[in-house]
Amino acid sequence: FAKAFNAADAAPALRGYKIVSAYPYGSRMIPGAGEKIAANSVAIRQYGVQVADSIADVLQVSDAVMILTNDGRLHLQQAEEVISAGKPVFVDKPLAAGIDDAVAILAMAARRKVPVFSASSLRYMQQVEPIRAGVYGNVLGADIYGPAPIEPSHPDLFWYGIHGIETLCTVMGPGCISVARLYTDSTDIVAGCWPGDRVGVFRGTRTGVYEYGGTVFCEKQDLSPGPYRGYGPLLEAIAAFFDTGTSPVAPATTIEIYALMTAAGDSRSRRGATVVLDTSKYIDRYHELANR
C-alpha cells in the first residue's frame, strides 16, 4: 500500500493521499506474523513512512487510518481507538474474527458518526462492477473459487475464504436465504440459495495453486468475474472513501457476508445440513448498538 500511495508518480485516483506513519503491531499468536511485521517495518521506511510506537502516535499525524493487522481478533480494540479519535478508518479483511465483533465495529462507527469501510480487494475484480450494473442482464447464479487456508485462531472462512465469499455475495447481490457446506481437509463447497431460486457456490481450495476466478451466469452471457487486478482498485476506493466519508459498501451488505460465513460454519458443524441465514438478527443488533 505504501509503495502505491507514496510513489512519486502515484495514480491520480489515489487523490494525493500519502502514508506518513505506521504502527507495527501484528499478531502475537499467529505463526510467522512477527517476522513479517519486523521485515515490513524495515522495508516501509524507504517510502518515507515513520514507524510509530503506538496507534496514538499514528493518530496525531494522520487524517485517516487503515487497520491492516491480519489478525481479526485485534480489530475491535484497534478500531475503537481510531473511531474514538474521529478518524475515518478502513479495516482490511477480515473486519473481525467473528460476526459479533464485526457488528460492534460497524455500530460503534455509526453511533459516533465516523466513516468506516471494510472490503476484500476481490470485490474490485475487472468484471464485477459491470455484472452488478446489469451489463450482462440479471445474474442467474455463480460458481466462484479461491484459496481457503485455515488459521486455527479464526472461524475458518473468516481467515482467507472471505475473499471468495465476498466475491460471491457481490455478484449475487443481497438476500442470501440459506447455505449448506461440504467440508474436507482439502476443499470447501459452500452453496447458497438466493431469491428467485438462484444458487451461488464458493469452492475454497487448500491444495494446488492459489488462484481466484469462477463463472457468473447472467441472462445475456456467462463470464468470469476477473481478472483480478491487484490492490490498485481497492486503494482507489479507499482514497475516494477518505475524501467523501461514505463507504462504498453499506453496513448491511458487510453484515450479510459475515452472517453467511457464520451460517456456513454452523453447517459444517452439522455435517452439511442446510442453515437458514439470520441476517436480520444481526442487522437489528447493529441498529440497537448504533442508536444507544
Side-chain angles (χ1 to χ4, degrees):
F1 285 15
K3 183 177 181 180
F5 276 115
N6 293 17
D9 58 348
L14 297 182
R15 303 171 182 241
Y17 283 97
K18 303 293 182 185
I19 298 177
V20 296
S21 181
Y23 173 45
Y25 190 99
S27 176
R28 298 300 191 260
M29 300 179 68
I30 296 175
E35 291 83 353
K36 188 174 182 180
I37 288 291
N40 287 345
S41 297
V42 174
I44 202 171
R45 287 183 169 92
Q46 68 181 296
Y47 304 113
V49 180
Q50 173 191 355
V51 176
D53 294 324
S54 66
I55 292 176
D57 288 346
V58 172
L59 290 169
Q60 286 182 2
V61 297
S62 301
D63 299 307
V65 173
M66 296 184 292
I67 295 176
L68 305 179
T69 309
N70 63 358
D71 191 340
R73 295 169 299 176
L74 305 177
H75 287 175
L76 177 58
Q77 179 181 352
Q78 293 171 334
E80 183 172 16
E81 189 169 354
V82 176
I83 291 168
S84 295
K87 306 284 186 178
V89 56
F90 169 78
V91 185
D92 201 9
K93 66 82 199 163
L95 175 58
I99 192 167
D100 291 336
D101 276 8
V103 170
I105 291 170
L106 295 170
M108 182 195 316
R111 185 171 64 252
R112 298 180 182 178
K113 296 180 171 55
V114 175
V116 63
F117 167 37
S118 182
S120 161
S121 59
L122 273 291
R123 173 178 286 274
Y124 296 98
M125 286 201 289
Q126 185 166 313
Q127 290 293 344
V128 168
E129 189 53 42
I131 289 168
R132 290 183 55 186
V135 171
Y136 306 103
N138 293 327
V139 173
L140 307 177
D143 293 342
I144 303 297
Y145 63 82
I150 302 295
E151 165 50 50
S153 63
H154 286 58
D156 45 12
L157 291 174
F158 280 61
W159 176 248
Y160 218 83
I162 184 174
H163 286 303
I165 293 290
E166 183 158 351
T167 305
L168 178 65
C169 290
T170 302
V171 297
M172 289 295 294
C176 183
I177 299 166
S178 64
V179 298
R181 179 177 177 186
L182 173 65
Y183 173 89
T184 71
D185 287 343
S186 66
T187 308
D188 268 303
I189 302 292
V190 179
C193 290
W194 268 259
D197 292 330
R198 298 180 302 132
V199 175
V201 177
F202 167 62
R203 172 183 286 268
T205 59
R206 287 181 282 277
T207 55
V209 295
Y210 277 21
E211 292 185 350
Y212 304 96
T215 301
V216 183
F217 306 100
C218 301
E219 290 177 308
K220 299 178 182 179
Q221 183 178 339
D222 300 339
L223 71 159
S224 167
Y228 175 57
R229 297 180 289 171
Y231 288 121
L234 173 63
L235 299 187
E236 293 174 9
I238 293 171
F241 160 69
F242 287 154
D243 260 10
T244 65
T246 300
S247 172
V249 183
T253 300
T254 298
I255 289 170
E256 182 170 315
I257 293 168
Y258 285 78
L260 192 157
M261 292 190 294
T262 301
D266 292 342
S267 178
R268 176 187 170 185
S269 68
R270 294 167 57 183
R271 299 185 179 182
T274 297
V275 175
V276 175
L277 266 69
D278 200 357
T279 306
S280 61
K281 177 182 76 173
Y282 297 113
I283 292 177
D284 288 347
R285 179 61 174 163
Y286 161 77
H287 288 298
E288 176 189 343
L289 293 173
N291 291 323
R292 279 186 176 176

